[in-house]
Amino acid sequence: MYFSFKEESRKVRAEAKLDINLERSRVNDMFTEQEKKLLEVSTEFHKKNTDVERSTLEATKKIDTEVASLKTLLESLKLDTIRYLAASVFSCLAIALGFYRLWK
């Protein structure tokens, strides 16, 4: 009877060890699979992040170019306005001097 209990105890221990080892193996497999999925998602995230940064940089360059172009245009129009204003003032002065000379 003692030997049968001992034998039964050994069987239970062996089954428990087997179950623990199987569970450990299953958990390791799950961990490896999750790690692989995490690496794939991380790689995809970094790729998309790089694409977004590249697009943002291109848009920023385009905006900077347009702003510089508009500033140049504004300065050009400002100079044209000043030139036409000066020409108008001198034309009015010339006309006024002409009338002054006619009446005198």
Side-chain angles (χ1 to χ4, degrees), residues 34-47:
Q34 290 297 321
E35 222 174 24
K36 191 187 300 183
K37 285 181 182 178
L38 180 65
L39 184 61
E40 288 173 3
V41 169
S42 177
T43 303
E44 185 178 335
F45 172 77
H46 287 299
K47 182 183 175 196

Side-chain angles (χ1 to χ4, degrees), residues 43-61:
T43 303
E44 185 178 335
F45 172 77
H46 287 299
K47 182 183 175 196
K48 287 184 180 183
N49 190 28
T50 303
D51 291 344
V52 168
E53 286 177 356
R54 188 179 312 122
S55 298
T56 303
L57 185 61
E58 289 174 4
T60 302
K61 285 181 181 179

Side-chain angles (χ1 to χ4, degrees), residues 1-51:
M1 183 155 196
Y2 174 74
F3 291 112
S4 68
F5 285 135
K6 200 170 187 180
E7 186 65 31
E8 190 67 32
S9 173
R10 254 189 257 154
K11 283 182 184 179
V12 170
R13 272 192 212 156
E15 286 178 11
K17 278 185 180 181
L18 182 62
D19 287 345
I20 288 172
N21 286 336
L22 286 173
E23 188 65 24
R24 185 180 296 147
S25 175
R26 189 180 68 78
V27 168
N28 283 340
D29 289 345
M30 282 177 41
F31 178 74
T32 304
E33 186 179 318
Q34 290 297 321
E35 222 174 24
K36 191 187 300 183
K37 285 181 182 178
L38 180 65
L39 184 61
E40 288 173 3
V41 169
S42 177
T43 303
E44 185 178 335
F45 172 77
H46 287 299
K47 182 183 175 196
K48 287 184 180 183
N49 190 28
T50 303
D51 291 344

